[in-house]
Amino acid sequence: MFGKKILLLFSLFVLVAMAQSDKFVGGPEPLTGDDLKEAEELLATSLAEIAGGDVPRYIIVKVIRATRQVVAGTLYNINAELSDNQNNTKSCIVKIWTRPWIPNSTEVTLQCEDENEITKTY
């Protein structure tokens, strides 16, 4: 019985400590510094790769926020202002799921204001 109480108290301690930190194991991690720059470079590459057909050629105006999460690969979630071919700036959410061990498996989901969501793989 004493062992169960200790386990319960330890579990509560861990949960409280995790709730007070910005990061959960396996949860989204806010990006700053070099990690943010790397995410911006990945975003620029991904936008160039998926441009064409029903996807305008977007360029990055400003990255507002970016996170990275380790899943079966790495999932980047980037809120950014993007400019299209006619210099219209739009607020967009771009999700980039990379799985480097699978060829041609980078999946990009683009959701810009007042537009349908687009998902492309390259």
Side-chain angles (χ1 to χ4, degrees), residues 2 19 29 36 39 47 64 67 82 85 87 89 94 102 119-120:
F2 180 72
E29 169 190 358
L36 180 59
L47 291 173
I64 299 163
T67 62
L82 304 178
N85 308 27
N87 292 324
T89 300
V94 185
I102 302 173
T119 300
K120 298 282 184 178

Side-chain angles (χ1 to χ4, degrees), residues 36-83:
L36 180 59
K37 185 175 180 176
E38 179 183 315
E40 286 184 43
E41 291 170 1
L42 177 61
L43 175 59
T45 299
S46 295
L47 291 173
E49 287 286 340
I50 67 170
D54 58 343
V55 182
R57 182 174 255 320
Y58 285 109
I59 60 168
I60 303 167
V61 175
K62 178 182 179 183
V63 171
I64 299 163
R65 180 175 172 268
T67 62
R68 174 178 56 206
Q69 181 176 6
V70 176
V71 290
T74 304
L75 177 63
Y76 293 85
N77 193 338
I78 303 169
N79 294 17
E81 291 178 3
L82 304 178
S83 179

